[in-house]
Amino acid sequence: MSNDALRRQVASLVVVRASGHASDRQRRYPRWELTNADLKRLLNSGVGGVILLGGTAVELQQRCRQLRHWAQGPLLLCADVEEGVGQRFEGGSWLVPPMALARLHQSDPEQAEAMAERYGACTGRQAKQCGMNWVLAPIVDVNNNPANPVINVRAWGDDPTTVTRLTLAFQRGLNQAGVLGCAKHFPGHGDTAVDSHLQLPVLPHSRERLEQLELKPFRACIAAGIDSVMTAHLQIPSLDPDRPATLSKAVLTGLLRDEMGFEGLVVTDALVMEAIREHHSAGDAALLAFEAGADLVLMPEDADAAITAICAGIESGRISRERLNASLQRRQQALARVEHQAGSELSLDVEQTEDRALAQTLVELTCESQGPSIAHRPPHTAINLIRIDGVLSCPQLPASAPALLLPEQAGFRPLIHHPMAVSIWKEDVWSRGDRSAPLALDRLGEGPVLLQLFLRGNPFRAGRDQQEPWAEAIDQLQACQRLAGLVVYGSPYAWESLRSLLEPTIPAAYSPGQMPEAQHTVMHRLFLADSAHPSTQGPGEGFTD
């Protein structure tokens, strides 16, 4: 085999990152998203996969056609649409986080599993219509660590039974849509308090504990025929004391392939993540991952270096030709199951009426509230204090967001707090550790405060969200009788912790979703509920206009 032929074969096992937008100037993350010139060159040279982010659903349809035109063969086209296509691409359905259905599963397992299947079908159908053939979901991690900064509400639960039941239902939905699914992150990223985007987590558990918790949902997904499994950038000394799972032959070949019998595609998590990048060059990381048992190399820091390193490993005999051929065959078999996807028709209506109905039903089923409504109009000095991760390109808080407009109609002026804003905290909270009265009330102004907290596990923030003293802030506002209401969007852990601090007369509501539809439902619970509604509502008791 010629060097060029070998290089094309290896290149077909590399998945690079691209923007869903057509223009280079529209890239949101130019550090990771290749220019069109580099994309065209790499696809023309045989690169076989692209992971996409950004743009509208209609733009994505056109982008996928363009990428296929540039490629020399069939492509795997994928995205991290764990919460529906609308999570990443405007115009698709943005669904509540999977953890929302885990809470519903506690009270109504049958309904939760039916909803999870519809969730998967909606996601798969829209992904396919946009031009993709591979959905990088479901998350199969058991999020039994509430302090997990990277998995958190992305998981389908915090116990293995719930995660297993719901992920299998989600996968059935993907199968109906005719797209590939991906169970991640093997062998389990749910019990970490470290973000692998930033550093390498270590999971100290025994093999017996892994079997009881982390591995159970993966075994079930494999038995149900999951198409692919994504690796986790974490180290588990009981499985391999020397290398993280992504680079470990003991984990990917010994455990996943030989012991658990997985025959589908093994794909690495993004190799640009610091858990790998900090310790290995682009070429070494790709070579070690492929040598360990990965079939597909996702987002190497340098695609050319990754291809060169794997080719060198094969030419030197370090990696056998049979090993390469096995990965090529698994990729071909996966593509054969979805190759009809390439002929999808362009459509301006990716989100259908039934999809919008599903999204709203999920919001209503999983919204919770307690206490009375905010029935009276407050003084003109009332404050709508919103905590959010950022305001630049923030899909949760557009100018028309119900979390802004509906309280404003009721007399609450908006005040947005985010990491780049002037701090609302007293300086001595951080310098001296005095958290008893953390808010700088003089900066807020006078009047009652509606507190809206957008909190969820967010990658790249190193758990800083959990350092913010919101419990003390609530106590402080209640002590001076200024807390008009509390809303938590996202984390059920934050909601359960903070709701227990509230006086019975304080209106409060929770939604696992952070999208405008969730805000609309929550605001109606707080401001428009009348005496006919019970004072406390939970999953399954959704408010309707």
Side-chain angles (χ1 to χ4, degrees):
M1 181 186 296
S2 68
N3 288 341
D4 183 64
L6 174 62
R7 192 170 182 88
R8 294 190 70 84
Q9 285 187 332
V10 171
S12 72
L13 301 174
V14 173
V15 181
V16 295
R17 169 84 169 263
S19 169
H21 293 290
S23 168
D24 286 343
R25 290 178 298 176
Q26 294 173 291
R27 291 178 297 162
R28 294 181 184 175
Y29 306 99
R31 176 184 170 190
W32 300 316
E33 293 165 357
L34 299 177
T35 65
N36 281 329
D38 283 336
L39 272 174
K40 190 171 184 179
R41 174 182 63 82
L42 287 167
L43 291 174
N44 190 261
S45 69
V47 163
V50 180
I51 178 173
L52 294 129
L53 176 66
T56 68
V58 173
E59 284 180 298
L60 184 60
Q61 293 173 331
Q62 297 167 330
R63 184 64 154 165
C64 287
R65 288 188 171 194
Q66 180 184 53
L67 296 173
R68 284 194 172 93
H69 178 72
W70 287 345
Q72 295 296 299
L75 285 177
L76 287 167
L77 295 171
C78 62
D80 284 310
V81 286
E82 301 157 358
E83 298 172 26
V85 168
Q87 177 194 15
R88 305 295 186 188
F89 307 97
E90 189 176 348
S93 295
W94 188 2
L95 307 177
V96 297
M99 184 68 77
L101 286 176
R103 287 174 69 82
L104 180 62
H105 197 267
Q106 297 171 6
S107 59
D108 194 338
E110 185 175 340
Q111 183 179 37
E113 290 169 37
M115 285 294 170
E117 186 168 339
R118 291 178 61 188
Y119 195 125
C122 173
T123 302
R125 184 175 62 253
Q126 291 186 11
K128 181 177 178 179
Q129 193 167 354
C130 288
M132 297 183 290
N133 51 18
W134 188 18
V135 169
L136 299 183
I139 295 275
V140 184
D141 305 312
V142 180
N143 194 80
N144 69 323
N145 186 342
N148 196 317
V150 61
I151 303 301
N152 211 279
V153 298
R154 300 163 61 198
W156 288 89
D158 51 20
D159 70 89
T161 299
T162 300
V163 171
T164 297
R165 298 281 293 271
L166 293 177
T167 53
L168 290 180
F170 177 91
Q171 181 58 41
R172 289 195 296 271
L174 289 186
N175 290 341
Q176 294 168 22
V179 295
L180 304 173
C182 182
K184 57 188 190 182
H185 307 80
F186 185 83
H189 208 317
D191 194 14
T192 59
V194 171
D195 182 358
S196 51
H197 291 89
L198 301 176
Q199 61 188 107
L200 180 66
V202 176
L203 203 61
H205 301 310
S206 67
R207 176 63 186 270
E208 291 73 22
R209 148 61 196 261
L210 295 171
E211 289 290 349
Q212 292 170 2
L213 197 142
E214 280 83 4
L215 295 179
K216 278 188 174 182
F218 284 100
R219 288 190 182 279
C221 285
I222 291 169
I226 193 75
D227 303 289
S228 62
V229 169
M230 180 179 287
T231 69
H233 297 335
L234 52 81
Q235 191 155 359
I236 307 177
S238 65
L239 298 179
D240 188 330
D242 301 316
R243 290 183 176 171
T246 294
L247 310 181
S248 170
K249 190 169 185 177
V251 174
L252 301 189
T253 299
L255 176 58
L256 181 58
R257 290 281 187 216
D258 297 340
E259 290 188 41
M260 299 177 70
F262 180 60
E263 298 179 354
L265 284 169
V266 175
V267 57
T268 70
D269 204 346
L271 293 184
V272 295
M273 293 164 63
E274 292 298 325
I276 300 297
R277 180 178 176 272
E278 184 180 358
H279 306 283
H280 302 277
S281 68
D284 287 344
L287 175 60
L288 289 170
F290 193 76
E291 185 178 37
D295 299 301
L296 302 177
V297 174
L298 176 67
M299 287 180 63
E301 186 175 17
D302 183 329
D304 294 300
I307 295 166
T308 297
I310 295 174
C311 286
I314 294 169
E315 289 171 333
S316 70
R318 177 174 172 176
I319 298 173
S320 70
R321 298 275 177 162
E322 291 76 16
R323 167 74 183 83
L324 171 64
N325 290 335
S327 290
L328 293 171
Q329 184 177 9
R330 281 190 280 266
R331 178 182 180 273
Q332 184 177 6
Q333 290 171 342
L335 280 164
R337 293 195 289 275
V338 292
E339 61 184 4
H340 61 282
Q341 163 63 28
S344 62
E345 294 297 326
L346 187 68
S347 171
L348 298 178
D349 296 318
V350 170
E351 187 179 43
Q352 302 297 316
T353 301
E354 61 268 27
D355 299 331
R356 288 188 287 273
L358 172 64
Q360 184 60 37
T361 298
L362 287 170
V363 165
E364 293 178 354
L365 281 172
T366 57
C367 178
E368 303 176 29
S369 62
Q370 67 183 44
S373 63
I374 302 177
H376 63 284
R377 186 175 181 85
H380 67 279
T381 55
I383 300 163
N384 175 20
L385 177 57
I386 298 175
R387 180 263 181 228
I388 200 156
D389 288 323
V391 293
L392 301 178
S393 302
C394 181
Q396 296 96 330
L397 207 65
S400 59
L404 290 169
L405 297 186
L406 293 179
E408 191 167 22
Q409 292 170 11
F412 287 82
R413 64 175 179 84
L415 178 62
I416 301 173
H417 170 67
H418 60 91
M420 292 178 286
V422 175
S423 178
I424 62 171
W425 308 111
K426 291 181 180 177
E427 285 75 7
D428 59 6
V429 171
W430 314 115
S431 61
R432 303 178 191 172
D434 181 8
R435 298 164 64 103
S436 59
L439 289 171
L441 295 180
D442 56 327
R443 294 183 203 153
L444 295 184
E446 298 179 353
V449 177
L450 170 61
L451 185 58
Q452 298 195 68
L453 305 178
F454 288 77
L455 295 168
R456 55 173 288 166
N458 286 312
F460 301 105
R461 289 181 56 79
R464 289 190 296 271
D465 302 349
Q466 296 171 17
Q467 301 170 19
E468 297 173 349
W470 291 112
E472 292 85 351
I474 288 172
D475 285 341
Q476 180 184 6
L477 290 170
Q478 287 188 134
C480 59
Q481 298 183 334
R482 290 189 58 184
L483 185 61
L486 170 70
V487 181
V488 175
Y489 301 99
S491 169
Y493 308 114
W495 166 242
E496 293 297 345
S497 173
L498 297 177
R499 72 188 296 189
S500 64
L501 305 175
L502 297 177
E503 298 169 359
T505 57
I506 302 296
Y510 165 72
S511 177
Q514 297 187 329
M515 66 288 291
E517 292 83 356
Q519 298 168 31
H520 186 271
T521 297
V522 164
M523 291 298 99
H524 276 63
R525 286 278 184 94
L526 282 186
F527 286 100
L528 301 182
D530 57 35
S531 58
H533 287 88
S535 60
T536 301
Q537 297 172 312
E541 298 171 312
F543 178 86
T544 55
D545 289 335

